[in-house]
């Protein structure tokens, strides 16, 4: 059981470039999230999805886009990368009950230069 | 806006001592509370969760919840150097979407 798989693990982008962070889960979870984590800070919610075809903005959505065409996949798109997007990105999925935990991917360390 | 507050630390305790980590939250509608551990360069992993007032024990870990004071804590007994990590508090309400605190860095020194 792979859980949440996130790729790539590391990436360096030049300012203005675009990229997609891939995330897939095999636990049949309806809820999926994208967080970013800056040094010394907690997890900030970028976008979330409560099911295939349904996405919504979180706390820090500017500069990002998402889609959810299947239950398994929840890619995050960065358009026109900026240095402020240098961060560690985590994808997570959740069974969407009060007592269920979020399962995290291994993270993507992104540097924009 | 829902807020979850944690002291960023670092909290330094000697090996064998009790480490006490604290978390407060702003949304009175919050219903379940989670503690995650995150080692440097790794992703968060669940330690335990609690949703009823009082204490919940799991091995060396005890979570304490006081909804009236909007306060949740994590006690780690017999702290070990391997417990050195950042501990993230997370809170869920009716939306089922967890809100995370900034985390407390714990250092257990031999």
């Amino acid at each position: 059981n792979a859980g949440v798989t996130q790729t790539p693990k590391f990436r360096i982008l030049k300012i203005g470039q675009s990229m997609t962070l891939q995330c897939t889960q095999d636990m049949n979870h309806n809820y999926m999230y994208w967080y970013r984590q800056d040094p010394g800070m907690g997890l900030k919610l970028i976008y979330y999805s409560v099911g295939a075809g349904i996405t919504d903005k979180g706390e820090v959505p500017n500069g990002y886009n998402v889609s959810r065409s299947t239950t398994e996949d929840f890619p995050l798109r960065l358009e026109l990368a900026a240095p402020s997007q240098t961060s560690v990105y985590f994808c997570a999925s959740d069974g969407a009950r009060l007592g269920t935990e979020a399962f995290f991917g291994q993270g993507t360390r992104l540097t924009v230069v | 806006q829902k807020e979850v507050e944690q002291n960023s630390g670092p909290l330094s305790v000697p090996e064998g001592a009790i480490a006490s980590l604290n978390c407060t939250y702003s949304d009175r509608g919050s219903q379940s509370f989670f503690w995650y551990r995150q080692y440097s360069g790794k992703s968060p992993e669940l330690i335990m969760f609690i949703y009823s007032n009082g204490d919940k024990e799991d091995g060396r870990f005890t979570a304490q919840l006081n909804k009236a004071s909007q306060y949740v804590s994590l006690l780690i007994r017999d702290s070990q150097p391997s417990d050195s990590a950042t501990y993230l508090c997370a809170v869920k309400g009716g939306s089922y979407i967890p809100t995370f605190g900034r985390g407390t860095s714990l250092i257990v020194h031999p």
Side-chain angles (χ1 to χ4, degrees):
Chain A
N1 193 344
V4 180
T5 302
Q6 193 181 331
T7 57
K9 289 185 179 180
F10 304 94
R11 183 72 185 268
I12 298 175
L13 278 182
K14 293 184 178 179
I15 294 172
Q17 289 185 321
S18 300
M19 75 165 294
T20 299
L21 281 65
Q22 301 291 343
C23 177
T24 186
Q25 53 97 4
D26 61 3
M27 295 173 282
N28 201 34
H29 286 163
N30 282 327
Y31 280 44
M32 294 188 74
Y33 317 111
W34 276 104
Y35 291 94
R36 60 176 287 172
Q37 186 175 40
D38 299 314
M41 304 299 290
L43 296 164
K44 300 287 188 183
L45 184 64
I46 304 171
Y47 269 95
Y48 67 95
S49 171
V50 301
I54 306 170
T55 63
D56 207 347
K57 297 177 180 178
E59 186 180 357
V60 289
N62 291 343
Y64 308 95
N65 271 302
V66 295
S67 60
R68 184 95 181 271
S69 57
T70 66
T71 298
E72 294 78 19
D73 299 309
F74 190 42
L76 177 72
R77 178 80 176 165
L78 279 72
E79 303 283 1
L80 299 175
S84 61
Q85 293 178 303
T86 294
S87 189
V88 179
Y89 293 83
F90 288 102
C91 176
S93 73
D94 192 324
R97 296 287 185 270
L98 290 175
T100 58
E101 66 188 277
F103 292 85
F104 286 84
Q106 62 267 54
T108 297
R109 185 173 296 275
L110 175 68
T111 303
V112 182
V113 297
Chain B
Q1 183 169 341
K2 300 174 184 177
E3 293 185 348
V4 178
E5 300 288 342
Q6 294 181 259
N7 188 322
S8 61
L11 173 66
S12 182
V13 301
E15 184 175 356
I18 296 175
S20 178
L21 305 163
N22 304 315
C23 173
T24 59
Y25 57 95
S26 63
D27 183 7
R28 285 199 170 271
S30 300
Q31 298 180 52
S32 56
F33 309 85
F34 301 77
W35 284 100
Y36 290 81
R37 177 177 59 202
Q38 185 178 25
Y39 291 114
S40 181
K42 301 295 185 181
S43 56
E45 56 182 357
L46 182 74
I47 298 174
M48 62 190 306
F49 75 93
I50 186 170
Y51 53 85
S52 298
N53 274 328
D55 296 359
K56 180 181 179 181
E57 187 173 318
D58 184 0
R60 295 187 296 112
F61 299 94
T62 299
Q64 299 176 317
L65 175 61
N66 184 325
K67 289 186 178 180
S69 300
Q70 296 176 243
Y71 177 94
V72 58
S73 65
L74 179 70
L75 301 178
I76 306 175
R77 291 183 300 281
D78 189 24
S79 295
Q80 302 297 309
S82 59
D83 294 325
S84 298
T86 296
Y87 290 80
L88 299 167
C89 173
V91 172
K92 274 192 184 183
S95 70
Y96 302 136
I97 299 169
T99 299
F100 286 83
R102 64 190 298 176
T104 298
S105 174
L106 173 66
I107 299 171
V108 181
H109 53 87

